[in-house]
mmCIF file of all heavy atoms in Angstrom:
data_model
loop_
_atom_site.group_PDB
_atom_site.id
_atom_site.type_symbol
_atom_site.label_atom_id
_atom_site.label_comp_id
_atom_site.label_asym_id
_atom_site.label_seq_id
_atom_site.Cartn_x
_atom_site.Cartn_y
_atom_site.Cartn_z
ATOM 1 N N ASP I 145 -55.225 -8.236 2.373
ATOM 2 C CA ASP I 145 -55.595 -8.959 3.583
ATOM 3 C C ASP I 145 -54.770 -10.251 3.712
ATOM 4 O O ASP I 145 -54.297 -10.594 4.797
ATOM 5 C CB ASP I 145 -57.087 -9.292 3.567
ATOM 6 C CG ASP I 145 -57.519 -10.033 4.813
ATOM 7 O OD1 ASP I 145 -57.328 -9.488 5.919
ATOM 8 O OD2 ASP I 145 -58.032 -11.169 4.672
ATOM 9 N N PHE I 146 -54.595 -10.936 2.611
ATOM 10 C CA PHE I 146 -53.770 -12.164 2.598
ATOM 11 C C PHE I 146 -52.338 -11.845 3.017
ATOM 12 O O PHE I 146 -51.754 -12.528 3.865
ATOM 13 C CB PHE I 146 -53.805 -12.786 1.194
ATOM 14 C CG PHE I 146 -52.898 -13.963 1.030
ATOM 15 C CD1 PHE I 146 -53.296 -15.217 1.458
ATOM 16 C CD2 PHE I 146 -51.651 -13.827 0.449
ATOM 17 C CE1 PHE I 146 -52.460 -16.316 1.308
ATOM 18 C CE2 PHE I 146 -50.804 -14.911 0.298
ATOM 19 C CZ PHE I 146 -51.219 -16.155 0.724
ATOM 20 N N ILE I 147 -51.781 -10.805 2.428
ATOM 21 C CA ILE I 147 -50.410 -10.398 2.762
ATOM 22 C C ILE I 147 -50.315 -10.011 4.230
ATOM 23 O O ILE I 147 -49.373 -10.396 4.937
ATOM 24 C CB ILE I 147 -49.952 -9.225 1.867
ATOM 25 C CG1 ILE I 147 -49.903 -9.647 0.397
ATOM 26 C CG2 ILE I 147 -48.602 -8.676 2.318
ATOM 27 C CD1 ILE I 147 -48.915 -10.735 0.089
ATOM 28 N N ASP I 148 -51.299 -9.252 4.724
ATOM 29 C CA ASP I 148 -51.276 -8.821 6.125
ATOM 30 C C ASP I 148 -51.386 -10.008 7.093
ATOM 31 O O ASP I 148 -50.795 -9.991 8.168
ATOM 32 C CB ASP I 148 -52.408 -7.830 6.403
ATOM 33 C CG ASP I 148 -52.183 -6.486 5.724
ATOM 34 O OD1 ASP I 148 -51.029 -6.219 5.328
ATOM 35 O OD2 ASP I 148 -53.158 -5.719 5.585
ATOM 36 N N ARG I 149 -52.170 -11.018 6.716
ATOM 37 C CA ARG I 149 -52.342 -12.177 7.605
ATOM 38 C C ARG I 149 -51.112 -13.063 7.646
ATOM 39 O O ARG I 149 -50.718 -13.548 8.697
ATOM 40 C CB ARG I 149 -53.541 -13.016 7.156
ATOM 41 C CG ARG I 149 -54.833 -12.559 7.776
ATOM 42 C CD ARG I 149 -55.946 -13.524 7.513
ATOM 43 N NE ARG I 149 -56.258 -13.502 6.091
ATOM 44 C CZ ARG I 149 -56.587 -14.563 5.376
ATOM 45 N NH1 ARG I 149 -56.651 -15.744 5.930
ATOM 46 N NH2 ARG I 149 -56.857 -14.456 4.094
ATOM 47 N N PHE I 150 -50.491 -13.301 6.501
ATOM 48 C CA PHE I 150 -49.414 -14.285 6.448
ATOM 49 C C PHE I 150 -48.010 -13.685 6.398
ATOM 50 O O PHE I 150 -47.066 -14.308 6.864
ATOM 51 C CB PHE I 150 -49.614 -15.211 5.242
ATOM 52 C CG PHE I 150 -50.816 -16.091 5.359
ATOM 53 C CD1 PHE I 150 -51.965 -15.815 4.651
ATOM 54 C CD2 PHE I 150 -50.800 -17.191 6.203
ATOM 55 C CE1 PHE I 150 -53.076 -16.634 4.760
ATOM 56 C CE2 PHE I 150 -51.903 -18.006 6.324
ATOM 57 C CZ PHE I 150 -53.057 -17.732 5.606
ATOM 58 N N GLY I 151 -47.875 -12.506 5.842
ATOM 59 C CA GLY I 151 -46.551 -11.928 5.634
ATOM 60 C C GLY I 151 -45.718 -11.702 6.880
ATOM 61 O O GLY I 151 -44.614 -12.230 6.997
ATOM 62 N N PRO I 152 -46.232 -10.933 7.863
ATOM 63 C CA PRO I 152 -45.408 -10.647 9.039
ATOM 64 C C PRO I 152 -44.985 -11.903 9.803
ATOM 65 O O PRO I 152 -43.840 -12.022 10.228
ATOM 66 C CB PRO I 152 -46.306 -9.755 9.905
ATOM 67 C CG PRO I 152 -47.245 -9.117 8.928
ATOM 68 C CD PRO I 152 -47.480 -10.161 7.867
ATOM 69 N N ARG I 153 -45.909 -12.836 9.967
ATOM 70 C CA ARG I 153 -45.549 -14.067 10.682
ATOM 71 C C ARG I 153 -44.484 -14.852 9.927
ATOM 72 O O ARG I 153 -43.582 -15.432 10.535
ATOM 73 C CB ARG I 153 -46.779 -14.936 10.893
ATOM 74 C CG ARG I 153 -47.699 -14.388 11.921
ATOM 75 C CD ARG I 153 -48.822 -15.338 12.233
ATOM 76 N NE ARG I 153 -49.717 -14.745 13.202
ATOM 77 C CZ ARG I 153 -51.026 -14.774 13.104
ATOM 78 N NH1 ARG I 153 -51.605 -15.397 12.102
ATOM 79 N NH2 ARG I 153 -51.777 -14.218 14.031
ATOM 80 N N LEU I 154 -44.610 -14.873 8.628
ATOM 81 C CA LEU I 154 -43.631 -15.602 7.822
ATOM 82 C C LEU I 154 -42.248 -14.973 7.954
ATOM 83 O O LEU I 154 -41.251 -15.671 8.117
ATOM 84 C CB LEU I 154 -44.075 -15.621 6.357
ATOM 85 C CG LEU I 154 -43.238 -16.441 5.394
ATOM 86 C CD1 LEU I 154 -43.241 -17.910 5.788
ATOM 87 C CD2 LEU I 154 -43.761 -16.278 3.975
ATOM 88 N N VAL I 155 -42.191 -13.651 7.926
ATOM 89 C CA VAL I 155 -40.914 -12.952 8.070
ATOM 90 C C VAL I 155 -40.313 -13.232 9.441
ATOM 91 O O VAL I 155 -39.125 -13.550 9.566
ATOM 92 C CB VAL I 155 -41.099 -11.429 7.842
ATOM 93 C CG1 VAL I 155 -39.860 -10.659 8.245
ATOM 94 C CG2 VAL I 155 -41.442 -11.154 6.393
#
Side-chain angles (χ1 to χ4, degrees):
D145 181 58
F146 174 82
I147 297 297
D148 290 343
R149 272 190 292 142
F150 293 104
R153 287 187 182 135
L154 185 61
V155 169

